[in-house]
Amino acid sequence: MGEKNRTAVVSKWIKTKVLLGSKEVRPFMLDTRKISKTDLKEMLKSYRMVYVKPENGTHGKGVIRAEQLENGDYSYQMETVKKTFGSYDPFYQSLQKLTGKRSYLIQKGIHLVKYRKRRFDIRVMVQRRPGGDWEATGLIGRVAHEGKIVTNYHSGGTPMDVKTLLGAHLNEKETAKVIQSLNKLGVTTAKHLHKKYPGFRHIGLDIGFDRTWTPWIIEVNTKPDPYIFNQLKDKSMYRKVMKFRQAWK
């Protein structure tokens, strides 16, 4: 299979660079850079909180939340372990021991809205019909395990109905508007990625909201797990996702 026909792109860095080429998608992309001592310090100064993540990681494994605290200290959290340092150099050295020689990225952190004190984001499943049209076929909320920084199901996150999560903050009309914007952003992203890699048939966008309800693309997964939708009580979304998948077989 040729470079452009591949059906999965693992590198978060490649996907980021491709999506930054879309003027429709770019406003929803978080500042992302390859890790370096200088860039991490600069991004912590600008944003106070960032996520350090493996370039090729999956299921939220190896993701680190790093912060510059108000008193000037630096801290990071991986899984449920948190460490704090009085200055930048020992903080960075400790981080380097965790990351080793693997390629890592730094991504601007957003303070995700919460449901019952637990962070959540939303997975948007976008699939292509055999005829060529892209459609947002599924939306599911992912609520982080208490005390953890990632929402992934494989890391103890809880799949939940999107309307329940949004309804804890927004009225019915506002919720419908947010869902519409998620579906639109999902299809726009899929179409742009598909121009570069026409082998794609489905993608999963992980989208987080800050307190202004801006949808931020945290990650784009080119091999999204369809079975997470089976965790919902209402199976209609799961049936639709699987129907699209089976249409290609």
Side-chain angles (χ1 to χ4, degrees):
M1 185 176 283
E3 171 76 11
K4 291 202 171 184
N5 258 340
R6 64 168 86 173
T7 55
V9 175
V10 179
S11 165
K12 296 178 177 73
W13 183 242
I14 288 173
K15 286 180 278 191
T16 298
K17 287 197 292 184
V18 171
L19 292 174
L20 285 171
S22 162
K23 64 178 189 294
E24 291 88 7
V25 179
R26 196 185 308 125
F28 305 102
M29 298 287 290
L30 293 161
D31 184 3
T32 304
R33 306 178 203 175
K34 283 208 170 192
I35 195 165
S36 73
K37 191 175 181 181
T38 310
D39 275 342
L40 180 57
K41 191 172 188 179
E42 190 181 297
M43 285 178 76
L44 282 171
K45 188 180 177 185
S46 298
Y47 306 129
R48 293 290 172 181
M49 191 266 286
V50 300
Y51 284 89
V52 179
K53 48 172 73 174
E55 182 181 343
N56 300 315
T58 56
H59 305 322
K61 286 173 185 164
V63 175
I64 303 159
R65 178 182 164 112
E67 295 181 76
Q68 184 175 4
L69 307 176
E70 283 186 21
N71 65 0
D73 286 356
Y74 293 88
S75 79
Y76 69 74
Q77 181 179 345
M78 186 175 180
E79 296 282 339
T80 54
V81 178
K82 197 169 185 177
K83 291 187 177 182
T84 305
F85 303 82
S87 60
Y88 184 72
D89 281 0
F91 158 81
Y92 189 73
Q93 282 160 15
S94 182
L95 261 183
Q96 274 190 309
K97 283 178 190 166
L98 281 182
T99 58
K101 291 185 177 177
R102 285 194 299 163
S103 178
Y104 267 72
L105 304 177
I106 322 163
Q107 187 178 69
K108 176 187 174 180
I110 52 168
H111 292 280
L112 292 172
V113 287
K114 293 181 178 180
Y115 178 77
R116 296 181 179 169
K117 298 183 180 177
R118 291 160 65 191
R119 300 179 185 96
F120 74 85
D121 63 16
I122 292 170
R123 163 62 61 92
V124 184
M125 179 71 104
V126 190
Q127 294 171 284
R128 189 170 161 244
R129 291 179 185 278
D133 286 342
W134 286 92
E135 190 177 323
T137 51
L139 287 176
I140 192 165
R142 307 181 317 161
V143 184
H145 188 277
E146 204 169 351
K148 285 199 176 179
I149 58 170
V150 295
T151 60
N152 303 66
Y153 181 50
H154 298 271
S155 299
T158 307
M160 276 191 70
D161 176 68
V162 166
K163 286 181 180 174
T164 303
L165 294 175
L166 297 177
H169 299 271
L170 307 169
N171 65 34
E172 207 172 314
K173 194 176 177 183
E174 290 165 336
T175 296
K177 197 175 175 184
V178 166
I179 287 172
Q180 190 181 9
S181 72
L182 287 169
N183 289 337
K184 186 182 175 190
L185 182 55
V187 170
T188 303
T189 303
K191 283 180 176 176
H192 185 75
L193 207 53
H194 189 249
K195 281 182 202 167
K196 176 81 174 173
Y197 298 107
F200 285 124
R201 293 167 185 177
H202 44 250
I203 65 166
L205 277 80
D206 296 334
I207 295 178
F209 292 96
D210 60 18
R211 288 157 194 160
T212 67
W213 287 95
T214 301
W216 294 104
I217 297 173
I218 297 168
E219 207 160 300
V220 176
N221 190 324
T222 56
K223 282 187 80 177
D225 174 13
Y227 302 102
I228 189 174
F229 292 95
N230 201 24
Q231 302 291 324
L232 296 172
K233 276 183 187 170
D234 181 350
K235 303 297 178 191
S236 58
M237 213 176 271
Y238 174 65
R239 285 195 293 269
K240 186 174 187 179
V241 167
M242 295 309 287
K243 189 179 172 186
F244 266 71
R245 270 174 67 90
Q246 283 152 9
W248 286 96
K249 287 180 180 175

